[in-house]
Amino acid sequence: MKSFLESRLSKGALFILATFLGFALLSFIVGKLLVFLPEPIGSRSDLFVQGAKVTLLITLYSAVLGIVIGTLLGLAKGSPRRWLSYPAFAYIWLIRGTPVLVQILFVFYALPVLIPQLQLDEFWAAAIALGLNVGAYNAEVIRAGIQAVPLGQTEAARSLGLSHTKTMRWIVLPQAIRIVVPPLVNNIVALLKDSSLASAIGLLELTLAGNRISSETFLPVPVLSTVALLYLIYTTAITVVTHVLERTMRLKAHV
Amino acid sequence: MSENLLSVRALHKSYGSFHVLKGIDLEVAAGEVICVVGPSGSGKSSFIRSINQLEPYQSGEIRLHGELIDPRKNVDKLRQEIGMVFQSFNLFPHLTVLENLMLAPTCVKNLSKRQAEAKAIELLTRVNIVEQKDKYPSKLSGGQQQRVAIARALAMEPKIMLFDEPTSALDPEMISEVLNVMKDLAKSGMTMLVVTHEMGFAREVADRVIFMDGGLIVEEATPEEFFREPKHPRSKLFLSQILQR
């Protein structure tokens, strides 16, 4: 049932998989190239690679979490039911009104005090804090995307007998996705950069790795330039992939 | 209980303080074709959209073969039996023509892909557009899109079809291709309720013409009576204005 629609989903999944493989390949090549750079980069390339790997993984996990949270919150905030929209409104207000660094510190240091079972390591504390953060920003984007789908689409679907949920699932969300991809990617690019804040709780990601090498070698200019360059490579790669994605979606349906 | 397919009693609707429907009563027998005409703002569209609950109304009841339509209970089920065609087509732009027709049967009625596709092809052949089945709606002309929209509604095998000004958004040269499809549909015995400004269509196809003005049904007559000698002064005025064009 619905296999003709699900084939689209599998194409989407394939695209995401290809993107991950592309990023893994990119990281591998970047790692190999770093070895050839002059001192002090070449000899410490393993630490750069290690840091970049943590940065990418934390971005990946928090982006996935952020999109799930953003979709649920976006639907909730746009819902006519107050018991859904009010909590969503409060969550977005709280997260967007406080610094992400404070949120990371809170999840790592304060949450275990409040709930002793929630003893997270640096990686998961940062991934969850960043995911919760970007989720609030994504929610606004997704709510706006859903509202941008013309009302006539919902009316046509409902008049065919589709329930509210099925209308969302098969008619509204697939069209909203095309609208929300560019701003969501902006959020993910911001997330990749914000992941550097995880260095504050001692997570050895790209920024902390660079900072350590810089203070060991007393050569901040080449080391921090390399750190910045690596961020730039990854944010550019994300942007390029998105442009390709946008183009293919537009070519297919001219929406 | 009446044997009528659709029965509307004392329907009242307001948008805020604007009382748009002031008590509509209408009985529609199976196989009947009814054209609803009247000046803009008379409540024609609000009325037809209320029938399948796209517009909430404050009081009144609407029954489909005797069953009361309740927006909180059986609306999704009864909407499957009420086909709707919109002025602005509202095809799903992210799906091909074929998929537009297959979506509801597979997703609501749990038809297999093969059954839904066979049905879709049959209907697209009927509205004479089967060669466009793999295109996206944006590639079609307005007339073609509206014919696909009619086929999409028919794919659910409705008992009654509602048309909300189906030709008003079309270029003049495309109106007849849509009206011809609707005429064939009427001949096949489909029960139809059509809000339209196409008086030629109403005269030729309708079993009954309903004239609405100011939120009320002002006159109800056969097309011969209505177009030859309208009884109500407001119908007379409306027809004289329309025919002057």
Side-chain angles (χ1 to χ4, degrees), chain A residues 12-187:
Chain A
L14 216 65
F15 186 87
I16 292 169
L17 191 68
T19 309
F20 284 144
L21 288 178
F23 268 87
L25 188 67
L26 181 68
S27 302
F28 180 76
I29 294 168
V30 165
K32 289 292 167 207
L33 290 176
L34 280 177
V35 179
F36 298 110
L37 287 180
E39 284 307 302
I41 317 295
S43 60
R44 306 304 305 273
S45 69
D46 53 335
L47 195 54
F48 277 111
V49 169
Q50 164 69 16
K53 203 175 128 191
V54 172
T55 290
L56 283 181
L57 279 177
I58 207 161
T59 306
L60 172 66
Y61 289 133
S62 49
V64 170
L65 181 63
I67 284 174
V68 172
I69 291 178
T71 308
L72 295 177
L73 278 179
L75 287 169
K77 200 183 173 194
S79 165
R81 299 188 183 93
R82 284 187 189 163
W83 60 271
L84 281 173
S85 63
Y86 281 20
F89 178 84
Y91 178 89
I92 293 165
W93 168 72
L94 177 70
I95 295 288
R96 298 213 303 180
T98 54
V100 61
L101 180 56
V102 175
Q103 291 161 15
I104 294 172
L105 294 173
F106 193 92
V107 171
F108 188 62
Y109 293 114
L111 219 50
V113 178
L114 294 173
I115 310 164
Q117 289 85 357
L118 270 182
Q119 196 80 51
L120 299 163
D121 64 16
E122 293 86 350
F123 182 86
W124 287 109
I128 287 170
L130 287 167
L132 293 173
N133 179 272
V134 77
Y137 288 88
N138 288 349
E140 283 295 306
V141 166
I142 286 167
R143 185 186 56 83
I146 289 169
Q147 282 178 349
V149 176
L151 187 62
Q153 292 290 306
T154 304
E155 289 185 345
R158 296 306 301 272
S159 75
L160 288 165
L162 270 74
S163 64
H164 176 78
T165 313
K166 282 179 175 168
T167 301
M168 272 289 162
R169 170 67 192 83
W170 297 111
I171 302 302
V172 178
L173 287 180
Q175 293 183 62
I177 282 174
R178 288 166 170 78
I179 301 166
V180 301
V181 161
L184 278 187
V185 170
N186 271 343
N187 287 354

Side-chain angles (χ1 to χ4, degrees), chain A residues 208-227:
Chain A
L208 188 58
N211 209 7
R212 281 202 188 155
I213 300 166
S214 161
S215 34
E216 281 168 22
T217 58
F218 302 104
L219 290 167
V221 174
V223 172
L224 293 180
S225 301
T226 307
V227 168

Side-chain angles (χ1 to χ4, degrees), chain A residues 1-5 8 152-153 155-164 166 170-171 174-175 178 252-255, chain B residues 49 52 76 79-80 82 84 86 90-95 99 102-104 106-108 110 113 136 138-139 152 156:
Chain A
M1 178 189 131
K2 283 171 275 185
S3 51
F4 65 95
L5 292 168
R8 302 250 161 107
Q153 292 290 306
E155 289 185 345
R158 296 306 301 272
S159 75
L160 288 165
L162 270 74
S163 64
H164 176 78
K166 282 179 175 168
W170 297 111
I171 302 302
Q175 293 183 62
R178 288 166 170 78
K252 259 179 71 189
H254 282 270
V255 185
Chain B
R49 287 164 56 83
N52 67 351
D76 286 341
R79 270 176 179 153
Q80 295 174 36
I82 307 175
M84 178 95 180
F86 300 87
N90 296 344
L91 292 180
F92 305 131
H94 60 302
L95 302 178
E99 289 167 342
M102 288 166 63
L103 179 84
T106 51
C107 180
V108 179
N110 289 327
K113 188 194 166 194
Y136 284 93
S138 57
K139 303 281 185 203
R152 177 178 68 179
M156 290 300 282

Side-chain angles (χ1 to χ4, degrees), chain B residues 6-194:
Chain B
L6 180 76
S7 156
V8 179
R9 301 243 169 92
L11 188 67
H12 283 265
K13 174 179 176 56
S14 305
Y15 294 105
S17 63
F18 178 53
H19 199 175
V20 62
L21 297 178
K22 298 172 181 165
I24 302 281
D25 293 278
L26 183 68
E27 298 289 327
V28 184
E32 219 180 352
V33 177
I34 297 181
C35 283
V36 183
V37 302
S40 45
S42 58
K44 310 183 297 286
S45 282
S46 299
F47 169 48
I48 202 166
R49 287 164 56 83
S50 298
I51 291 173
N52 67 351
Q53 314 289 313
L54 289 179
E55 298 283 348
Y57 43 84
Q58 280 71 34
S59 69
E61 34 174 73
I62 299 175
R63 288 173 188 275
L64 190 68
H65 44 70
E67 191 177 349
L68 183 70
I69 304 181
D70 183 336
R72 273 160 308 181
K73 277 189 207 146
N74 54 9
V75 64
D76 286 341
K77 184 174 130 275
L78 290 179
R79 270 176 179 153
Q80 295 174 36
E81 302 176 30
I82 307 175
M84 178 95 180
V85 175
F86 300 87
Q87 181 177 346
S88 50
F89 330 132
N90 296 344
L91 292 180
F92 305 131
H94 60 302
L95 302 178
T96 63
V97 165
L98 195 61
E99 289 167 342
N100 262 277
L101 267 71
M102 288 166 63
L103 179 84
T106 51
C107 180
V108 179
K109 282 188 165 176
N110 289 327
L111 248 61
S112 73
K113 188 194 166 194
R114 191 182 298 170
Q115 288 171 308
E117 188 169 345
K119 179 82 191 162
I121 300 238
E122 181 201 317
L123 287 166
L124 289 172
T125 311
R126 189 165 157 194
V127 301
N128 209 7
I129 201 164
V130 72
E131 70 283 357
Q132 315 274 12
K133 68 182 169 66
D134 295 318
K135 289 194 178 164
Y136 284 93
S138 57
K139 303 281 185 203
L140 305 184
S141 72
Q144 291 173 322
Q145 289 194 46
Q146 194 60 299
R147 284 186 282 145
V148 172
I150 293 172
R152 177 178 68 179
L154 291 174
M156 290 300 282
E157 302 182 324
K159 302 247 169 41
I160 180 169
M161 288 279 286
L162 309 176
F163 293 83
D164 187 7
E165 302 200 22
T167 56
S168 298
L170 294 175
D171 292 335
E173 74 270 21
M174 292 169 183
I175 290 176
S176 65
E177 64 186 69
V178 171
L179 291 181
N180 285 337
V181 165
M182 289 168 64
K183 281 176 199 165
D184 287 344
L185 193 59
K187 273 184 214 144
S188 76
M190 175 61 75
T191 313
M192 291 162 66
L193 197 55
V194 186

